[in-house]
Amino acid sequence: MLEIAHLRKEYDGIPVFTDLSLRINKQEVVVVLGPSGCGKSTLLRCMNGLEPVQSGLILLDGVVLNTGKTDWRFIRQKIGMVFQSYELFPHMTVLDNILLGPLKVQKRKRKEAEEAARILLERVGLYEKRTAFPRQLSGGQKQRAAIIRALVMEPEIMLFDEITAALDPEMVREVLDVMLGLAKSGMTMVIVTHEMQFAKAVADRIVFMDSGEIVEDSPPDDFFAKPKTERGCRFLNIFQF
Ligand code: ADP
Ligand code: MG
């Protein structure tokens, strides 16, 4: 469904990747692991056009996206992304934050969009908070709202970049559970996380990166039982997994 091929990405002439290829199949859940600075966030940001690339291809359903002619705003409705820091608008209620995309970008009817938002908010236990402002929510509630804001656009694939990393420990579970539910429902997902138990439970494939390269691409049981590479072993040892 989503594919990158031979991607080269530099910041100020310094390469993060020189030749990175990865293919995400429909309904697959791919967890990307790797040490800080190895390029996980850059990979996700390249996948939905937030970062320009120097060479290589980004394809969605076989169509090349990085042609210079792509309307990334349109594509990002299909490739939803949630970040570590919640990017809800502080002056808008939860519901208004969620309805912004469907009403303003997708020009959907308010009644239909509100109904879609209601179903999603109920699914993650946030319907009672729909009229609250972001400052009135916990970190976990804000991240659940941020997930709904992406989901209400009806994306084909969702990218998650360490979305529990800034949360207090007691709120991590509720956010991971939303991602687990989404995976069970058949959503195609790429997840960057440092929650190893969760990674093992949710992933169809573990992609382990180091220094801008994909070093391993294995089923989770294989990767966690015995990484194929020295670098993989070292990484898991750090997490004492
Ligand atoms: P990760 O998410 O795995 O921690 P990143 O993708 O954030 O890694 O970063 C990969 C490399 O690119 C790092 O060396 C980082 O310093 C560099 N980098 C990331 N973003 C920028 C940027 N906006 N400008 C310059 N360098 C960047
Ligand atoms: Mg990162």
Side-chain angles (χ1 to χ4, degrees):
M1 169 181 275
L2 185 61
E3 184 173 2
I4 59 163
H6 307 293
L7 218 58
R8 181 180 178 87
K9 166 65 189 168
E10 304 170 353
Y11 291 111
D12 309 318
I14 300 167
V16 180
F17 323 127
T18 53
D19 185 3
L20 195 75
S21 298
L22 179 65
R23 188 183 197 152
I24 315 293
N25 300 307
K26 198 171 161 60
Q27 299 205 320
E28 207 174 23
V29 178
V30 174
V31 170
V32 180
L33 300 177
S36 183
C38 73
K40 305 178 297 296
S41 296
T42 303
L43 168 63
L44 260 50
R45 292 172 60 81
C46 290
M47 279 177 162
N48 76 347
L50 292 172
E51 290 289 344
V53 298
Q54 274 63 43
S55 62
L57 298 175
I58 303 160
L59 302 102
L60 182 65
D61 299 323
V63 177
V64 178
L65 296 179
N66 55 323
T67 57
K69 290 186 190 142
T70 297
D71 177 0
W72 280 102
R73 229 169 65 122
F74 175 72
I75 295 298
R76 281 188 212 114
Q77 297 173 39
K78 302 186 187 200
I79 309 176
M81 185 157 173
V82 185
F83 303 86
Q84 179 176 330
S85 57
Y86 353 96
E87 271 119 67
L88 300 172
F89 290 109
H91 60 287
M92 293 169 69
T93 64
V94 167
L95 186 62
D96 287 339
N97 265 286
I98 290 167
L99 292 177
L100 197 63
L103 297 182
K104 293 279 189 281
V105 180
Q106 294 180 320
K107 314 279 183 209
R108 283 155 64 180
K109 296 244 176 355
R110 175 170 280 274
K111 204 156 181 280
E112 179 274 322
E114 277 182 355
E115 178 61 8
R118 181 185 65 77
I119 291 166
L120 289 167
L121 283 164
E122 280 179 347
R123 206 203 283 177
V124 303
L126 273 185
Y127 188 64
E128 278 62 47
K129 295 286 181 189
R130 67 193 177 282
T131 57
F133 288 90
R135 66 172 181 282
Q136 298 168 312
L137 302 183
S138 71
Q141 289 169 332
K142 277 189 265 199
Q143 275 310 44
R144 284 184 278 153
I147 294 171
I148 296 309
R149 192 176 54 169
L151 285 180
V152 77
M153 307 285 272
E154 299 176 341
E156 291 176 22
I157 178 166
M158 286 284 293
L159 314 178
F160 296 94
D161 192 2
E162 297 202 44
I163 71 166
T164 62
L167 295 180
D168 291 333
E170 70 269 26
M171 288 162 194
V172 169
R173 189 73 249 168
E174 67 195 41
V175 175
L176 298 181
D177 283 344
V178 170
M179 283 194 280
L180 274 170
L182 201 53
K184 283 212 188 82
S185 77
M187 177 60 80
T188 310
M189 298 161 75
V190 183
I191 303 173
V192 175
T193 184
H194 287 298
E195 298 287 337
M196 295 297 147
Q197 294 287 357
F198 166 69
K200 193 174 177 186
V202 79
D204 296 311
R205 267 161 69 199
I206 299 286
V207 167
F208 171 64
M209 287 177 69
D210 195 10
S211 309
E213 283 177 87
I214 293 176
V215 180
E216 299 197 34
D217 186 339
S218 322
D221 288 345
D222 296 356
F223 181 76
F224 286 108
K226 196 173 190 321
K228 289 195 214 66
T229 62
E230 167 66 33
R231 286 194 276 183
C233 289
R234 228 181 306 136
F235 177 78
L236 285 187
N237 280 339
I238 292 167
F239 285 89
Q240 296 181 318
F241 197 86

